[in-house]
Amino acid sequence: MNASYVDENLIIRMAAGDGAAFKELYEQTSSAVYGFALSILKNKHDAEDVMHDAFIKVYTAAVTYKSMGKPLAWILTIVKNLCYSKVRAGGVCEDLSEYEDLVRTDESGSILDKVILQDALNTLDFEERQIVILHSLTGMKHREIAEILDLPTGTVLSKYNRSIKKLRRELEEKGGAQ
Amino acid sequence: MTEKKILESLNTAVESTTPDILDSLMAELNITDEPKELMHDVIVSDEANESGPADKWMPVTGKAQMPWRRVMGIAASFLVVLAGISFGVTERTPLALVSLDVNPGIEITINSKERVIEANPVNDEAKEILDEMDLKGSDIDVACNAIVGSMLTHGYLTDLQNSILLSVNADDEKVGTDIEQRLSRQINDYLENTEVAAAVLGQYGANDEAIRKFADENGISLGKAWLIKNLMKTGSTKMTEADLLGLKTQELILLGQKRSVTKTTSYGNAESGRFIGEAKALEAALKKAGVNKADAKNVKYEYDVERGVLIYEVTFRAGDYEYDYDINAYTGEVVASEKEYDPVYTAPKSGGSASSKSGGSGGGNSAAYRDDDDYDDYDDDDDDYRPAPKQQSSPSYDDDDDYDDSDDDYDDDSDDDSDDD
């Protein structure tokens, strides 16, 4: 769980048309990009659409990237904006059955992991989901997450803690979870 | 279940369900994952197969002289390559300003990856040079090579006008000096393989508002402005800023080499056949003084400017007199002279070297005085020079400091019992 550090050099190389840099960047960040989109949109297909658009945008906009030492924040802001415009355009169907599928259809990984993801998407509110997913996938600090989400750091912290408690409680109730 | 376990589970769950769309993205963007080696490959395959390992600063083939036409070919291939590839520049924070002056003056701003953000002509001649190439985004080493190549093909670099001033201005002296030394060396290596016996003066300077203003007001590059300011600090009682502004770039470079301006790297000799040379200057002075060459002791040369004209200031002793002549560096005309009675004379320990120096005569320039102690300081630093490896910054990421710092402040309600297994 460590996409927090993304080499800025990759973006600079991409700007010069370096495909290998794009591949490396994709490998480092694809889960964070997809997970973040999923946490906003709660829909696999929409998240995948946004993931696609986001990487195209990241590649084509690399020339406009201004070095501030925060390449991941830049990428995730692109993801956020794409998600929001998708929501605004009304193209999102929040289909709960979609992530029920996560457990059923995906053979890889443990069931427990997926149950937790499902719980996170079901139980948590809009902002809580984003905070928990971003933190778990990128290891970003609350302060950095706050910047991306345009929220006060204190809010992010308290929402994060509340989310973890909610998830714990949810798992308790399900019993089986250790 | 611990917080950390929850986070790890979420991470694993998302990672295992993230769709793999890399191939379709790359197909859509029409890119491959072959590392892009910029233009080096092109150059290597074009010209350098027979000259050993690839170096982006081609051609470097030891002492062998390259046929002129081949050099032109290489210069031309740079232009073609540069014209063919359009680079993007992402990082627009300037790291340094590199200026190249021959007569055309060009200022190049580079970013921390040492790629060109922009290249601007300082004068009309430079426009002609830059018109042909789009340097944006290219590596500064490649850009310098292309520019020098173009100056050669346009006839701005010749045996008579043989000097290049390379200046690097950066806030960080270490960074600036490293770039300056590397580029100076590379330009020199490049020119050594041409038929032009060229000279390179590399110089580092900080970013200085006042000097920037001075450059802009006078329509010269920042590098040239720095050289003028530095020359003014070399202790001449004759030269003025106005004098120096009136000089050709080559003359400034010659003064820079001979007057030991600080923080410079120097290759070759800017004293081309355009100037009469020290031996002829001495001859003119001796003739005027009516002194035999054999009687002149402790001969010294200084390069200076007298009323806007580059001069050799020749000083020597003969008998009880000290002579001081200013000789026009182009015509040999005596511009000023001084003879002083100074009987307290102790023979210099190394008097022999002075006379052997003047005895060398003949060629007039270069070799006759290259090994004189006075000038040693400008060519002694190239033996152990190695370009510093480019730094890959890799800040380490500490990934868990936030995971367990929270519970204390955000205690609340109901969860005391939920922490068990």
Side-chain angles (χ1 to χ4, degrees):
Chain A
M1 52 170 86
N2 184 358
S4 174
Y5 174 65
V6 171
D7 188 354
E8 197 165 64
N9 203 18
L10 291 177
I11 297 180
I12 286 147
R13 280 167 53 200
M14 259 179 2
D18 186 337
F22 178 78
K23 185 179 178 194
E24 211 174 312
L25 188 83
Y26 175 90
E27 279 159 2
Q28 282 180 21
T29 60
S30 60
S31 291
V33 166
Y34 176 71
F36 185 36
L38 187 66
S39 75
I40 299 174
L41 302 170
K42 289 179 73 175
N43 176 303
K44 271 192 344 184
H45 296 300
D46 291 331
E48 188 172 334
D49 281 352
V50 165
M51 178 188 181
H52 168 272
D53 294 351
F55 276 108
I56 298 285
K57 179 101 193 247
V58 162
Y59 183 81
T60 52
V63 283
T64 66
Y65 172 75
K66 291 194 176 46
S67 172
M68 293 174 302
K70 293 177 182 171
L72 184 61
W74 178 68
I75 294 167
L76 293 174
T77 304
I78 288 175
V79 174
K80 183 183 81 170
N81 293 337
L82 287 169
C83 287
Y84 285 9
S85 36
K86 203 169 182 69
V87 171
R88 269 199 304 274
V92 178
C93 66
E94 196 177 295
D95 183 353
L96 296 179
S97 68
E98 284 288 346
Y99 40 88
E100 301 284 328
D101 287 352
L102 286 177
V103 181
R104 281 207 310 271
T105 58
D106 197 276
E107 306 272 307
S108 63
S110 86
I111 299 289
L112 174 63
D113 292 341
K114 290 189 193 103
V115 168
I116 292 174
L117 175 59
Q118 229 175 296
D119 282 348
L121 294 171
N122 277 324
T123 320
L124 304 179
D125 73 21
F126 181 66
E127 283 166 349
E128 290 169 344
R129 287 199 304 269
Q130 297 177 54
I131 293 165
V132 170
I133 293 279
L134 276 182
H135 190 50
S136 71
L137 282 161
T138 67
M140 276 181 156
K141 302 203 169 49
H142 294 127
R143 175 175 37 79
E144 297 170 305
I145 292 174
E147 271 178 43
I148 293 173
L149 300 183
D150 276 333
L151 292 171
T153 307
T155 306
V156 169
L157 246 178
S158 58
K159 277 181 181 289
Y160 173 77
N161 287 311
R162 197 169 305 131
S163 306
I164 294 296
K165 278 164 194 161
K166 273 192 194 175
L167 287 176
R168 274 182 185 158
R169 205 174 304 133
E170 188 70 21
L171 290 167
E172 289 299 314
E173 282 166 15
K174 287 202 164 135
Q178 40 168 253
Chain B
M1 180 163 217
T2 64
E3 175 188 346
K4 190 159 185 166
K5 180 72 186 74
I6 290 176
L7 293 168
E8 282 170 359
S9 285
L10 279 173
N11 184 289
T12 314
V14 172
E15 278 189 352
S16 68
T17 52
T18 301
D20 181 4
I21 58 169
L22 179 62
D23 290 345
S24 68
L25 283 169
M26 294 190 72
E28 190 174 337
L29 290 167
N30 197 21
I31 51 178
T32 66
D33 61 355
E34 293 295 312
K36 190 159 184 173
E37 277 302 314
L38 293 177
M39 51 204 81
H40 310 169
D41 291 344
V42 183
I43 294 158
V44 170
S45 63
D46 185 27
E47 287 284 352
N49 288 338
E50 66 221 79
S51 52
D55 184 338
K56 61 183 161 186
W57 196 268
M58 296 304 301
V60 183
T61 52
K63 289 288 158 199
Q65 287 281 309
M66 294 196 79
W68 182 247
R69 216 176 298 154
R70 250 193 88 190
V71 173
M72 294 300 197
I74 290 167
S77 73
F78 273 112
L79 300 184
V80 170
V81 170
L82 284 165
I85 303 175
S86 173
F87 295 95
V89 193
T90 45
E91 204 206 299
R92 299 192 58 84
T93 312
L95 171 75
L97 185 97
V98 177
S99 36
L100 278 166
D101 284 276
V102 172
N103 174 23
I106 292 166
E107 289 187 347
I108 307 162
T109 311
I110 58 173
N111 66 19
S112 66
K113 307 298 169 194
E114 298 187 13
R115 289 184 180 279
V116 176
I117 299 173
E118 57 177 4
N120 293 316
V122 177
N123 47 28
D124 288 342
E125 293 93 330
K127 278 180 200 151
E128 186 190 346
I129 301 283
L130 283 178
D131 263 357
E132 296 168 8
M133 41 188 148
D134 178 13
L135 298 172
K136 244 174 231 176
S138 58
D139 192 279
I140 182 61
D141 300 40
V142 176
C144 279
N145 199 356
I147 289 169
V148 172
S150 177
M151 286 184 176
L152 270 170
T153 55
H154 281 88
Y156 287 113
L157 271 170
T158 64
D159 281 333
L160 291 182
Q161 182 174 293
N162 71 343
S163 306
I164 298 181
L165 174 65
L166 170 104
S167 309
V168 178
N169 293 89
D171 287 328
D172 187 321
E173 177 165 351
K174 170 85 172 62
V175 168
T177 306
D178 284 353
I179 298 173
E180 176 266 303
Q181 290 180 350
R182 188 185 77 231
L183 294 178
S184 297
R185 186 185 182 84
Q186 286 174 347
I187 292 175
N188 182 60
D189 285 349
Y190 176 61
L191 290 169
E192 268 188 356
N193 291 293
T194 69
E195 289 177 355
V196 174
V200 181
L201 182 68
Q203 128 189 287
Y204 163 78
N207 283 317
D208 185 303
E209 287 285 321
I211 297 182
R212 174 78 264 176
K213 193 161 170 256
F214 176 71
D216 292 341
E217 282 169 1
N218 291 289
I220 57 176
S221 74
L222 186 61
K224 205 163 162 179
W226 258 97
L227 182 54
I228 289 174
K229 291 288 184 185
N230 280 335
L231 282 169
M232 290 303 294
K233 291 184 200 154
T234 56
S236 166
T237 53
K238 293 175 180 148
M239 60 176 71
T240 65
E241 241 169 50
D243 283 341
L244 295 178
L245 279 167
L247 292 186
K248 297 186 176 74
T249 305
Q250 166 130 20
E251 295 172 319
L252 291 173
I253 294 170
L254 177 59
L255 287 170
Q257 284 191 333
K258 303 298 186 187
R259 297 187 66 84
S260 305
V261 168
T262 55
K263 290 173 187 165
T264 56
T265 313
S266 187
Y267 293 96
N269 188 353
E271 191 175 30
S272 68
R274 177 169 283 177
F275 306 99
I276 59 166
E278 292 179 355
K280 286 224 164 79
L282 176 62
E283 220 172 86
L286 291 170
K287 190 175 170 198
K288 184 79 173 177
V291 173
N292 284 328
K293 201 179 211 169
D295 297 329
K297 308 288 183 202
N298 208 20
V299 181
K300 283 181 183 153
Y301 304 92
E302 201 173 321
Y303 294 69
D304 211 326
V305 182
E306 172 91 52
R307 277 165 285 169
V309 177
L310 191 77
I311 54 148
Y312 297 92
E313 182 180 352
V314 185
T315 54
F316 56 90
R317 270 200 89 83
D320 284 339
Y321 289 90
E322 181 92 43
Y323 297 84
D324 183 337
Y325 285 89
D326 293 348
I327 312 292
N328 183 313
Y330 294 94
T331 64
E333 179 196 350
V334 177
V335 179
S337 60
E338 215 177 284
K339 181 181 176 185
E340 196 180 327
Y341 181 64
D342 184 15
V344 190
Y345 173 59
T346 38
K349 280 178 190 163
S350 58
S353 79
S355 56
S356 76
K357 186 166 62 182
S358 58
S361 72
N365 59 8
S366 70
Y369 57 86
R370 271 308 289 269
D371 54 356
D372 186 279
D373 289 343
D374 291 346
Y375 302 122
D376 269 355
D377 49 348
Y378 67 78
D379 60 358
D380 60 355
D381 59 353
D382 51 355
D383 298 330
D384 53 355
Y385 169 77
R386 292 283 180 282
K390 284 194 179 165
Q391 285 191 339
Q392 184 106 351
S393 66
S394 53
S396 65
Y397 164 63
D398 53 335
D399 56 349
D400 58 0
D401 56 350
D402 271 349
Y403 282 170
D404 47 15
D405 61 355
S406 47
D407 286 355
D408 321 345
D409 327 340
Y410 290 88
D411 64 304
D412 66 71
D413 45 64
S414 54
D415 69 338
D416 297 341
D417 52 341
S418 64
D419 229 345
D420 51 355
D421 281 332

